[in-house]
Amino acid sequence: DIGKYINRNITEFMEFVLLDFADVPHLRWFLFGLFLVIFINILMGNGTIFLITKLEPTLQTSMYFFLGNFSFLEICYVSVTLPRMLVNIWTHRRTISIVACAAQMCCMFVLGATECVLLAVMAYDRYMAICNPLHYTLVMNKKVCVQLVVGSWISGGPVQVGLTFQIFSLPFCGSNLINHFFCDIPPILRLACGDTFVNEMMVYIAAVLFAIVPCLLILISYGKIISTILKLPSATSRSKVFSTCSSHIMVVALFFVPGSITYLRPKPSHSAGADKVLSLFYTIVTPMFNPVIYSLRNKEVIMALRKLLCK
């Protein structure tokens, strides 16, 4: 009976093997050093921004409140994948239990959904500040800002937990090798036995809800912002307003573009190499460049950093 054989096989199948960068063993120590430096930079850069937005009196506005929460989110996001990847490269022990794999996937996608929604909230904050300045402080008060951040953190939880449970309820048989550096959906679904059509549709629906919808809201916000900027009388005013928005636009592009390509492109076009490269962008590159983008293009952040260093 094939069904009984598969069920027996599944009960013995208790762990996966994350291959990460095992196909380039000669680069093992280079990659370990590179990712360790990146991880330290992400922790220090985002930690510094989180700290100054809490301590610096001049940064106690809604924009920096959201930026501080975004920086904290980035620290949580990379901490789900990078430490394990560093341990795997160091020890050559690449096994991960099914429970740990499911937990990693769930955390990644809850945090990823939170980031999508929070980026949309930050765009809305810029829209209110630029297009409705007279009502800005009234609408974006402390209570509303806290509610928006809490809503961002909890919005993706139920859907992502349900999606993870659905995927790991599938039977797995045959190979247990995941050609990736973390438990991502496309490589996990490749290892599943039987029909995965329903699961793939659920992934598309989740991607539309937490990637396409926030992205559209961001585009609408910036469409209205650009329209308002073009009506400003002086070129100096236009340049100043655009400068405050450009940092956010760059972070949005770095996060949404590779993430959307990964989860919305057709299944036949998926390849392990492309998935890994795209995943590096939204899991590592965006958190790494977030502090650089926001600090180098923001005079208030630079001044706050100087004051912190002087102290």
Side-chain angles (χ1 to χ4, degrees), residues 86 230 262-263 276:
L86 288 169
L230 294 175
T262 300
Y263 299 108
K276 276 195 277 191

PDB file of all heavy atoms in Angstrom, residues 86 230 262-263 276:
ATOM      1  N   LEU A  86      25.067  31.417   9.980  1.00  0.00           N
ATOM      2  CA  LEU A  86      26.464  31.518  10.428  1.00  0.00           C
ATOM      3  C   LEU A  86      26.893  30.240  11.155  1.00  0.00           C
ATOM      4  O   LEU A  86      28.007  29.745  10.933  1.00  0.00           O
ATOM      5  CB  LEU A  86      26.622  32.730  11.356  1.00  0.00           C
ATOM      6  CG  LEU A  86      26.543  34.104  10.681  1.00  0.00           C
ATOM      7  CD1 LEU A  86      26.445  35.203  11.727  1.00  0.00           C
ATOM      8  CD2 LEU A  86      27.733  34.339   9.765  1.00  0.00           C
ATOM      9  N   LEU A 230       4.868  68.984  -6.788  1.00  0.00           N
ATOM     10  CA  LEU A 230       4.967  69.733  -8.045  1.00  0.00           C
ATOM     11  C   LEU A 230       4.265  71.086  -7.973  1.00  0.00           C
ATOM     12  O   LEU A 230       4.566  71.990  -8.767  1.00  0.00           O
ATOM     13  CB  LEU A 230       4.398  68.900  -9.194  1.00  0.00           C
ATOM     14  CG  LEU A 230       5.186  67.625  -9.549  1.00  0.00           C
ATOM     15  CD1 LEU A 230       4.454  66.824 -10.622  1.00  0.00           C
ATOM     16  CD2 LEU A 230       6.599  67.965 -10.009  1.00  0.00           C
ATOM     17  N   THR A 262       9.821  36.825  -6.004  1.00  0.00           N
ATOM     18  CA  THR A 262       9.996  35.495  -5.412  1.00  0.00           C
ATOM     19  C   THR A 262       8.678  34.754  -5.260  1.00  0.00           C
ATOM     20  O   THR A 262       8.563  33.570  -5.622  1.00  0.00           O
ATOM     21  CB  THR A 262      10.684  35.602  -4.034  1.00  0.00           C
ATOM     22  OG1 THR A 262      11.964  36.208  -4.197  1.00  0.00           O
ATOM     23  CG2 THR A 262      10.852  34.231  -3.390  1.00  0.00           C
ATOM     24  N   TYR A 263       7.646  35.429  -4.747  1.00  0.00           N
ATOM     25  CA  TYR A 263       6.414  34.730  -4.377  1.00  0.00           C
ATOM     26  C   TYR A 263       5.282  34.847  -5.393  1.00  0.00           C
ATOM     27  O   TYR A 263       4.286  34.136  -5.266  1.00  0.00           O
ATOM     28  CB  TYR A 263       5.936  35.212  -3.002  1.00  0.00           C
ATOM     29  CG  TYR A 263       6.959  34.926  -1.939  1.00  0.00           C
ATOM     30  CD1 TYR A 263       7.709  35.957  -1.370  1.00  0.00           C
ATOM     31  CD2 TYR A 263       7.224  33.626  -1.536  1.00  0.00           C
ATOM     32  CE1 TYR A 263       8.674  35.690  -0.418  1.00  0.00           C
ATOM     33  CE2 TYR A 263       8.193  33.354  -0.587  1.00  0.00           C
ATOM     34  CZ  TYR A 263       8.917  34.391  -0.038  1.00  0.00           C
ATOM     35  OH  TYR A 263       9.882  34.119   0.899  1.00  0.00           O
ATOM     36  N   LYS A 276      17.620  32.128  -4.001  1.00  0.00           N
ATOM     37  CA  LYS A 276      18.598  32.521  -2.978  1.00  0.00           C
ATOM     38  C   LYS A 276      19.054  33.962  -3.160  1.00  0.00           C
ATOM     39  O   LYS A 276      19.154  34.721  -2.197  1.00  0.00           O
ATOM     40  CB  LYS A 276      19.798  31.569  -3.001  1.00  0.00           C
ATOM     41  CG  LYS A 276      19.599  30.305  -2.202  1.00  0.00           C
ATOM     42  CD  LYS A 276      20.881  29.562  -1.943  1.00  0.00           C
ATOM     43  CE  LYS A 276      21.282  28.686  -3.084  1.00  0.00           C
ATOM     44  NZ  LYS A 276      22.386  27.764  -2.744  1.00  0.00           N
TER      45      LYS A 276
END
